[in-house]
Amino acid sequence: MDGEELGGTFVISVDELGVNGLWSTIKDLVESRVPLQGVTLPNKVGKPVAVPKLPLTFVLSTDKRLLRLKQYSHSPVTWFRNPVTHLVLVSTSDVHEYKSTLRAQLKRVTTDVERDWGGPGAGTEWLILYVRPFELEPGDKNARKVFEKLCDDFGAKRREQVVRLDVPLQAFDTPTGSGGSRTARLGGSSPADYGVVGQASAGSNWGLGASGLDELAAALRDSIRAAFEARQSAYDAEVRRLLNERRDPKWSFTTLYLVKDSFALMLEGAGLWEDAFQEYVELETVYLDCLESSNLAGGSKSAESAATDAAHFGLTLSDADDVASLLSSSWRAMRRLVLWKKQVQEFHFRQYLFAAQARVLLRLGRPIDVAERGLVFVQNFLAILAAREAAGQIRPWFKECWVFSACMSLISVITCCTQQMKQQGVHHADSFDVTDLLSSSSAPQGPAAQAAMRQLSAAVAAEKAAAAGAGTASASSVGSGVLS
């Protein structure tokens, strides 16, 4: 997934209300519970699936990435990137201030969230986190009154939407040798006065005595599940609608790709790997059907010139992109290419689909399946490249270079993954019949490409032979390690 932009993990938007720097003070304390554990999400058929660890990304509401997303928040293409929960931070012990100022601000913030990020399919929730002023005692009456008012005004019967976090000053103490703690030496009335931003070093009292983190984690689990259910239902309905309109002359595969790919990416972010894999397989099936019926780009390839046909395929004689991307395709790069070219180019898109499926299979701990599918994919794609080479549409030796890089990348990842599986005592025994793929008339002629294909076939056969008789076990942690 792309780290420079949002997308790939569930996003929690954080809004500071009235106290600047509050989030930077408690950020590490809150994120100490990430990845979120004990989450249960429904799959496509409604069956609850336990997600052992759910990664989350906390982002301030003023972040430029969120501001850019806001204008597209109601589009199915960006639903998976929208925040699943908006966390609103409040910290005061003044009941009068709450009644006269903060309550109106909170209502405005929650209304804005529902307007800007909510709506059918958007699936967004909000959660208020009341942080007791750090200098007060846990039993302070004014703090209790403010929290009770928050519960009365914004609480909901269906689930907790107002949570209290109590963090004593001692939780921010760090060892300072004979000089005593930072709190005692520096004085002040809040952690920000001590310059306490972020987690202290190992062996400190950081986080000691803090309460409310379990309640916050439970509230986040509930809000994330509600948002996920809404988005999954909306994505499913949108995909069905687009598929039902395939006979419409104005129907576009590009639209279906953007929506269905977004759905699959959301399922990946949720840790529902089986469902995500199914979405990518279905997307590939529809795409291949469109290719067969010549329904891409609104026209028939038979009536186009050779140069135009090569452009639709994604390769011309001047292209030097002969390095395969079977395991490294980026969803963001693919979308940019499709929108820039205003069409789905077969050469790049079919590799992207394979990479997406391989990524999920590795997460599921199925490297042998990736190798098996890779052998078939390389052989089939090799025939396509051979036909285009014969027609003079790609430069000589292009297909040999592509095959070599494809096989070597598969060998590298599969070998690494299976070695980790052996170290952990996990094996897969499958019944795939590995045959020599060099008998085809479209086989690569270069010795390096031929050797690469032989090595890939031999690697798969060796791993399967080693796994025979060892049984089959779960290896999702191994796939995660290879992808990290």
Side-chain angles (χ1 to χ4, degrees):
M1 298 290 180
D2 301 78
E4 76 279 4
E5 285 287 350
L6 301 178
T9 59
F10 284 180
V11 175
I12 308 294
S13 171
V14 180
D15 199 333
E16 298 174 317
L17 203 60
V19 183
N20 293 329
L22 179 59
W23 172 243
S24 61
T25 302
I26 66 171
K27 178 177 183 290
D28 284 332
L29 190 62
V30 173
E31 290 184 342
S32 66
R33 296 304 179 96
V34 175
L36 199 60
Q37 300 184 14
V39 180
T40 301
L41 299 175
N43 62 13
K44 289 182 63 176
V45 297
K47 181 181 178 181
V49 177
V51 181
K53 295 181 180 180
L54 182 66
L56 300 176
T57 300
F58 289 86
V59 179
L60 281 172
S61 60
T62 55
D63 191 286
K64 292 182 179 179
R65 295 170 295 178
L66 279 183
L67 298 179
R68 287 196 298 267
L69 270 178
K70 184 183 291 186
Q71 57 184 322
Y72 308 108
S73 62
H74 298 287
S75 169
V77 178
T78 60
W79 284 344
F80 79 104
R81 301 177 62 196
N82 292 350
V84 291
T85 297
H86 296 258
L87 186 65
V88 186
L89 307 183
V90 180
S91 182
T92 184
S93 61
D94 190 333
V95 178
H96 176 71
E97 179 190 9
Y98 170 74
K99 289 182 178 179
S100 61
T101 306
L102 288 178
R103 178 162 54 190
Q105 291 179 351
L106 278 169
K107 289 182 178 179
R108 183 167 59 252
V109 168
T110 55
T111 300
D112 290 346
V113 165
E114 293 171 354
R115 182 194 65 232
D116 297 338
W117 298 98
T124 193
E125 302 287 331
W126 53 264
L127 180 65
I128 297 175
L129 177 62
Y130 174 70
V131 183
R132 191 201 72 220
F134 302 107
E135 69 276 10
L136 300 182
E137 294 296 326
D140 185 83
K141 293 182 179 180
N142 289 330
R144 188 185 73 249
K145 289 180 180 179
V146 172
F147 180 67
E148 290 174 350
K149 289 291 183 182
L150 281 168
C151 293
D152 292 339
D153 295 335
F154 297 96
K157 294 182 179 180
R158 55 194 176 108
R159 67 173 183 276
E160 291 291 338
Q161 286 192 283
V162 182
V163 181
R164 173 170 170 164
L165 180 64
D166 291 312
V167 186
L169 284 178
Q170 292 77 12
F172 298 96
D173 285 354
T174 58
T176 56
S178 60
S181 71
R182 292 184 66 184
T183 303
R185 291 173 55 202
L186 300 178
S189 60
S190 72
D193 294 330
Y194 316 136
V196 179
V197 177
Q199 184 172 350
S201 59
S204 71
N205 292 328
W206 181 86
L208 184 64
S211 63
L213 290 174
D214 290 339
E215 291 77 3
L216 175 60
L220 283 173
R221 284 193 291 267
D222 291 340
S223 64
I224 289 172
R225 181 166 54 249
F228 176 80
E229 289 177 356
R231 289 186 187 179
Q232 181 174 235
S233 176
Y235 265 126
D236 191 52
E238 183 68 11
V239 168
R240 286 201 309 269
R241 183 186 68 82
L242 291 173
L243 288 175
N244 290 335
E245 293 178 354
R246 285 185 62 186
R247 295 185 180 276
D248 190 326
K250 297 182 180 179
W251 185 82
S252 168
F253 174 80
T254 300
T255 303
L256 176 66
Y257 147 63
L258 291 172
V259 174
K260 201 167 180 65
D261 184 66
S262 297
F263 188 17
L265 289 168
M266 186 191 75
L267 294 171
E268 281 193 67
L272 301 181
W273 308 112
E274 293 284 359
D275 285 356
F277 179 72
Q278 186 62 34
E279 289 300 314
Y280 286 124
V281 170
E282 292 176 1
L283 181 60
E284 181 182 35
T285 301
V286 176
Y287 177 68
L288 295 178
D289 183 61
C290 289
L291 279 181
E292 186 177 351
S293 60
S294 301
N295 197 31
L296 283 178
S300 175
K301 293 183 179 180
S302 60
E304 298 172 338
S305 65
T308 304
D309 178 64
H312 278 304
F313 180 71
L315 283 178
T316 62
L317 285 171
S318 60
D319 283 327
D321 190 14
D322 55 8
V323 177
S325 56
L326 298 190
L327 298 168
S328 60
S329 289
S330 161
W331 63 267
R332 179 175 299 280
M334 189 69 247
R335 293 185 179 201
R336 286 174 176 167
L337 180 64
V338 169
L339 296 176
W340 176 47
K341 296 291 186 179
K342 297 182 180 180
Q343 60 182 331
V344 177
Q345 295 179 319
E346 182 180 358
F347 177 74
H348 302 287
F349 191 65
R350 292 187 68 171
Q351 292 185 82
Y352 170 76
L353 288 175
F354 180 88
Q357 294 172 24
R359 180 175 66 241
V360 176
L361 287 173
L362 289 176
R363 290 286 188 180
L364 288 168
R366 295 161 56 182
I368 300 300
D369 288 346
V370 175
E372 294 169 357
R373 296 170 67 88
L375 286 168
V376 175
F377 182 84
V378 169
Q379 180 70 358
N380 291 339
F381 215 60
L382 183 58
I384 296 174
L385 293 178
R388 291 193 167 269
E389 183 182 60
Q393 295 179 351
I394 60 175
R395 57 187 175 82
W397 301 106
F398 179 95
K399 72 177 189 298
E400 281 75 17
C401 294
W402 184 90
V403 168
F404 178 78
S405 62
C407 292
M408 295 308 296
S409 64
L410 285 167
I411 291 170
S412 176
V413 170
I414 302 310
T415 302
C416 177
C417 192
T418 51
Q419 285 177 349
Q420 291 185 28
M421 292 170 63
K422 290 176 182 178
Q423 292 173 1
Q424 298 182 18
V426 179
H427 300 276
H428 280 262
D430 301 293
S431 58
F432 184 80
D433 182 21
V434 179
T435 59
D436 186 1
L437 299 179
L438 298 175
S439 58
S440 165
S441 59
S442 61
Q445 300 303 314
Q450 289 181 334
M453 293 195 70
R454 290 195 186 96
Q455 186 176 352
L456 177 57
S457 298
V460 177
E463 296 299 342
K464 292 178 67 61
T472 302
S474 172
S476 59
S477 61
V478 176
S480 300
V482 171
L483 294 173
S484 61

